[in-house]
């Protein structure tokens, strides 16, 4: 068999689609917090359709429900991470900071 003909042959492996994470009984609604938390990342971003394995219609409904829940303050817009709080402490004013102004002393000597 020529190499040129081999390029067009399809593999005969079976392809099985994974099941959707949303069950038939689950209702996509802004009040269903347990469902909505599955589709939000650690930072509070809405996960993509490819990551969620949702259909286009389901992803649209999930996105609308998450946005409604954020507006009604049921979900945060951005999740605060623990390391962010530690960085804020670094920039706070420390107790004993004394600064000497050397430029002022030089001007007085002249």
């Amino acid at each position: 068999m020529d190499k040129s003909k081999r390029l067009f042959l399809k593999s005969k492996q079976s392809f099985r689609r994974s099941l959707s994470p949303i069950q038939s009984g689950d209702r996509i609604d802004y009040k269903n917090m347990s469902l909505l938390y599955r589709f939000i990342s650690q930072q509070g971003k809405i996960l993509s359709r490819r990551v969620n394995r949702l259909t286009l219609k389901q992803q649209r409904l999930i996105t609308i429900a998450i946005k409604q829940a954020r507006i009604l303050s049921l979900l945060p817009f951005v999740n605060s991470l623990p390391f962010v709080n530690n960085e804020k402490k670094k920039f706070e004013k420390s107790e004993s900071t004394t600064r000497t102004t050397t430029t002022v002393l030089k001007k007085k000597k002249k």
Side-chain angles (χ1 to χ4, degrees), residues 2-45:
D2 287 356
K3 289 183 180 180
S4 60
K5 291 182 180 179
R6 223 182 289 161
L7 295 173
F8 299 106
L9 291 176
K10 292 185 179 179
S11 64
K12 296 187 180 190
Q13 293 177 353
S14 64
F15 176 74
R16 184 170 181 162
R17 187 165 201 141
S18 59
L19 297 174
S20 176
I22 297 178
Q23 308 303 324
S24 61
D26 286 341
R27 189 169 167 208
I28 301 174
D29 195 17
Y30 68 94
K31 294 178 269 185
N32 193 352
M33 289 293 122
S34 61
L35 179 70
L36 296 182
Y37 273 117
R38 281 193 255 162
F39 303 107
I40 297 178
S41 69
Q42 292 286 332
Q43 292 84 21
K45 296 178 183 178

Side-chain angles (χ1 to χ4, degrees), residues 50-105:
R50 191 172 24 132
V51 175
N52 292 334
R53 301 184 321 261
L54 296 175
T55 63
L56 183 62
K57 187 174 183 180
Q58 288 173 336
Q59 181 69 22
R60 283 188 190 138
L61 291 172
I62 285 290
T63 303
I64 291 168
I66 289 172
K67 288 179 179 180
Q68 285 176 342
R70 284 176 176 168
I71 290 170
L72 294 172
S73 301
L74 299 174
L75 281 176
F77 279 94
V78 178
N79 287 342
S80 61
L81 298 174
F83 70 86
V84 174
N85 294 333
N86 292 336
E87 286 187 19
K88 286 181 183 177
K89 290 179 183 177
K90 289 180 186 176
F91 296 111
E92 288 178 0
K93 189 176 181 182
S94 61
E95 294 174 10
S96 61
T97 25
T98 56
R99 294 184 182 176
T100 57
T101 53
T102 55
T103 56
V104 176
L105 295 175

